[in-house]
Amino acid sequence: MDKLNQTAEIIRVRFAPSPTGYIHVGNARTALFNWLFARQKGGVFVLRVEDTDIERSREEYERNLIQDLRWLGLDWDEGPDVGGNYGPYRQSERLELYHKYAKQLLDEGKAYYCFCSPEELEKEREAALAEGRMPVYSGKCRNIPRKEAEKRRAAGEPAAIRLKVPDEGIVEFDDLVRGHVEFDLKLIGDPIIVRSNGMPAYNYAVVIDDALMNITHVVRGEDHVSNTPRQILLYRALGWQPPVFAHLSMVMGKDNTRLSKRHGATSVDQFRREGILAEALCNYLAFLGWSPPEGHEVLRLEELVRLFDLSRVSRSAAIFDYEKLHWLNRQHIKMLPAEKKLELALPYLQETGLVGTEVTPAQMDWLKKAIEILIEGVDKFSELPQKFSLLFDFEPEKLDEEAREIIGSELAKKVLAAFIQKTAGLQEFNYEIFARITGEIKKETGVKGKDLYHPLRVALTARASGLELDKFIPLVEEGARLNFPKSILSCLVRLNRIKTSLNL
Ligand code: GLU
């Protein structure tokens, strides 16, 4: 039967993060693929928090990961915060279940107590490595009679529980992404299922949970492929049917090493703070291992749900391309209504002090117009304050070389002197006035094109390049009347400053 289109049962998938840090792109992609698959197939998406590593798990991380997933636009049908019929959804609240099945495995002789100390195990491991053998647990405690083991435990000796694994044979499974996978049992020692501190090991808890939560498809990172045979052996020992597995390739940087801080932002939280849109990030994450049918690139979540195809996910490593993400972000920004752009941009402008905490309706209105114009070509919202400096900063004393060159020629000085003379005494300035005066200068002096407009651009913006003046002048003129914490200078004030600075 086509495993992707099973109709007999409802597809149930899960995302099972450990709350030990911020959610990074690899995990976010795993969450997204599970979610897309569930939503597309009318299935159920479960969030399960795997917090059995008591030393590293923190509630704060759980809160953050829930917040990050919600920000991405993913929702779950069952989870620690929303409940569901298969709860609890936090592993630390399911310890009784793990103990119940561990006892069953012990009673059936499929598991045993292991009294080996960490030091002993480490010695065994080192010896194996020194002899060039795979470090596989020797099975030393396998044959300790149950009664004797219970006695030693009762006397306070710490003991882990291990699953008995057959010495020979293979474990195999058909991975939806990687195809047929086989593991030689000789290379798999008896895995610990419950640690001596009573906490379940990952491989064990995950099987109990996936089985009891009726998970039909396990979609997760490739770093778990080598865990899968152990999990399948546990399913077998418990007499349960394993789910279908799909292991997603690792996410790498462009230099083919695992994506890390060296490459740039890696956590969802960092991307959010930089001003990457959730929809753009999801759009990009979907492309890590999957490519949409030709002609589709800028995709909203609902379009991804429609087009996504788990069976077409590639097994080769996914390369994280920041430029592509930024390009997609620009496309998604363009699609936002002006109101939304303003809402998202405001915190960045406030943080840099360009805009105060109290914003008047007139300022809002102006900001909306300015953002519409300045956002063009901006990769992410965090770059916007820098763009706004074009309007807020005017420093004719600090012209760059190109601007100084433009303004330094005799011809430029002639144009500027004429322009300043014609604007002297004006109370008001706008683009129409600018166009009329430049028209007059052109007629009177014969100067035109670059020679005419470039010096004027430098005079009004103190920069060699930037916005078209028909956009710049109205923005600056209106902005100058709006009492921002850092005031915007009007064009006439700018011309005055240029006049002084150039001694015209
Ligand atoms: N808690 C595991 C992780 O975060 C889950 C792995 C799995 O999906 O089985 O890597």
Side-chain angles (χ1 to χ4, degrees):
M1 177 167 59
D2 179 356
K3 283 177 176 158
L4 275 175
N5 291 303
Q6 283 172 342
T7 45
E9 53 184 343
I10 286 196
I11 281 177
R12 290 178 55 88
V13 291
R14 80 324 189 257
F15 176 54
S18 307
T20 53
Y22 288 97
I23 178 164
H24 59 81
V25 287
N27 266 339
R29 191 246 331 226
T30 300
L32 176 68
F33 280 26
N34 275 288
W35 182 86
L36 289 172
F37 185 54
R39 291 294 169 258
Q40 180 176 73
K41 303 282 175 200
V44 174
F45 179 50
V46 177
L47 175 67
R48 183 174 71 228
V49 174
E50 305 211 322
D51 57 349
T52 50
D53 183 343
I54 20 188
E55 256 139 52
R56 293 172 58 226
S57 299
R58 300 241 170 82
E59 261 176 54
E60 172 204 341
Y61 289 134
E62 180 184 316
R63 273 197 304 276
N64 286 334
L65 77 89
I66 287 187
Q67 189 190 331
D68 286 348
L69 292 172
R70 292 229 182 272
W71 174 77
L72 281 170
L74 309 186
D75 56 346
W76 41 98
D77 310 296
E78 298 170 25
D81 55 340
V82 296
N85 292 337
Y86 297 83
Y89 293 92
R90 224 175 254 117
Q91 287 190 327
S92 59
E93 294 165 16
R94 300 173 62 82
L95 299 182
E96 267 175 40
L97 287 167
Y98 308 133
H99 290 141
K100 174 180 156 192
Y101 288 99
K103 183 171 178 308
Q104 179 185 315
L105 290 170
L106 284 166
D107 290 348
E108 290 173 358
K110 293 173 178 167
Y112 61 92
Y113 285 112
C114 170
F115 296 92
C116 296
S117 67
E119 294 76 33
E120 262 176 280
L121 294 171
E122 184 52 30
K123 256 195 215 147
E124 236 184 53
R125 216 180 85 85
E126 277 168 17
L129 287 175
E131 288 168 30
R133 283 184 290 118
M134 272 286 280
V136 171
Y137 175 60
S138 63
K140 190 171 156 200
C141 295
R142 249 193 200 192
N143 298 320
I144 300 175
R146 176 81 183 272
K147 268 212 178 119
E148 187 191 325
E150 292 292 2
K151 231 192 249 162
R152 285 170 71 174
R153 283 188 65 239
E157 208 177 323
I161 302 176
R162 286 186 189 266
L163 178 76
K164 266 187 206 162
V165 165
D167 293 327
E168 292 199 349
I170 55 163
V171 187
E172 53 190 334
F173 60 98
D174 288 316
D175 191 289
L176 280 182
V177 176
R178 302 171 59 86
H180 188 74
V181 184
E182 283 185 6
F183 282 89
D184 187 343
L185 284 177
K186 277 202 210 85
L187 304 178
I188 299 176
D190 295 346
I192 290 186
I193 59 172
V194 179
R195 296 180 200 290
S196 56
N197 67 4
M199 292 306 269
Y202 155 72
N203 275 318
Y204 173 62
V206 84
V207 166
I208 300 295
D209 292 346
D210 285 340
L212 297 185
M213 292 181 181
N214 266 338
I215 298 300
T216 57
H217 295 71
V218 166
V219 181
R220 64 183 168 199
E222 195 181 71
D223 45 339
H224 288 291
V225 169
S226 60
N227 287 320
T228 308
R230 292 174 182 83
Q231 295 175 15
I232 291 177
L233 289 166
L234 270 160
Y235 279 101
R236 276 193 205 160
L238 289 157
W240 294 337
Q241 175 74 21
V244 176
F245 293 98
H247 287 96
L248 309 173
S249 63
M250 293 288 100
V251 180
M252 316 287 260
K254 267 192 164 164
D255 56 358
N256 260 319
T257 63
R258 235 171 123 159
L259 193 72
S260 73
K261 287 194 191 91
R262 279 181 308 112
H263 297 101
T266 54
S267 70
V268 169
D269 173 65
Q270 272 172 305
F271 285 114
R272 175 180 50 208
R273 278 187 279 124
E274 283 184 4
I276 297 287
L277 297 173
E279 288 235 305
L281 189 54
C282 283
N283 192 164
Y284 184 66
L285 291 176
F287 293 170
L288 292 174
W290 171 74
S291 28
E294 248 206 290
H296 295 83
E297 204 150 29
V298 183
L299 300 169
R300 293 207 166 92
L301 269 180
E302 60 269 20
E303 293 167 305
L304 288 173
V305 168
R306 191 165 52 82
L307 296 168
F308 182 71
D309 187 349
L310 188 56
S311 68
R312 285 191 48 227
V313 168
S314 154
R315 55 175 298 178
S316 19
I319 308 288
F320 198 91
D321 179 350
Y322 287 88
E323 278 162 34
K324 181 78 189 275
L325 169 65
H326 291 157
W327 179 82
L328 278 173
N329 201 43
R330 288 206 298 273
Q331 312 314 311
H332 280 273
I333 290 175
K334 268 192 211 150
M335 299 195 295
L336 292 176
E339 281 296 332
K340 190 73 191 168
K341 285 185 200 137
L342 172 63
E343 181 195 319
L344 293 169
L346 208 52
Y348 295 95
L349 299 171
Q350 286 171 324
E351 199 183 299
T352 43
L354 292 180
V355 173
T357 38
E358 298 284 321
V359 190
T360 66
Q363 288 177 337
M364 281 290 193
D365 212 43
W366 179 85
L367 284 168
K368 200 155 62 175
K369 280 187 267 184
I371 290 166
E372 269 312 287
I373 292 171
L374 292 172
I375 201 107
E376 186 74 25
V378 165
D379 285 342
K380 40 195 177 179
F381 281 95
S382 54
E383 291 169 5
L384 209 48
Q386 179 54 32
K387 283 274 187 174
F388 264 85
S389 75
L390 175 71
L391 306 176
F392 280 91
D393 297 335
F394 179 74
E395 294 176 315
E397 312 75 28
K398 292 192 193 156
L399 296 187
D400 66 15
E401 206 173 313
E402 197 186 347
R404 259 186 283 135
E405 211 168 285
I406 292 173
I407 220 167
S409 75
E410 282 312 309
L411 201 56
K413 286 202 175 125
K414 192 165 134 190
V415 169
L416 289 180
F419 197 88
I420 287 166
Q421 197 215 335
K422 283 175 186 287
T423 50
L426 283 185
Q427 297 301 316
E428 199 192 326
F429 190 75
N430 57 39
Y431 184 69
E432 287 66 42
I433 298 176
F434 172 84
R436 176 173 56 72
I437 297 180
T438 45
E440 287 172 17
I441 297 176
K442 191 166 151 186
K443 226 191 226 159
E444 290 161 17
T445 61
V447 183
K448 55 181 187 200
K450 269 196 341 206
D451 293 338
L452 176 59
Y453 292 106
H454 281 194
L456 289 169
R457 167 192 296 287
V458 175
L460 292 174
T461 68
R463 285 167 175 79
S465 58
L467 276 185
E468 298 296 318
L469 290 175
D470 60 344
K471 291 188 176 133
F472 176 84
I473 293 172
L475 275 181
V476 158
E477 288 307 299
E478 191 184 336
R481 293 192 289 269
L482 290 176
N483 261 326
F484 282 109
K486 173 167 185 178
S487 45
I488 294 177
L489 302 179
S490 71
C491 291
L492 294 175
V493 173
R494 289 170 187 235
L495 287 170
N496 238 327
R497 298 245 328 248
I498 279 284
K499 184 177 163 201
T500 323
S501 115
L502 292 183
N503 262 330
L504 290 171

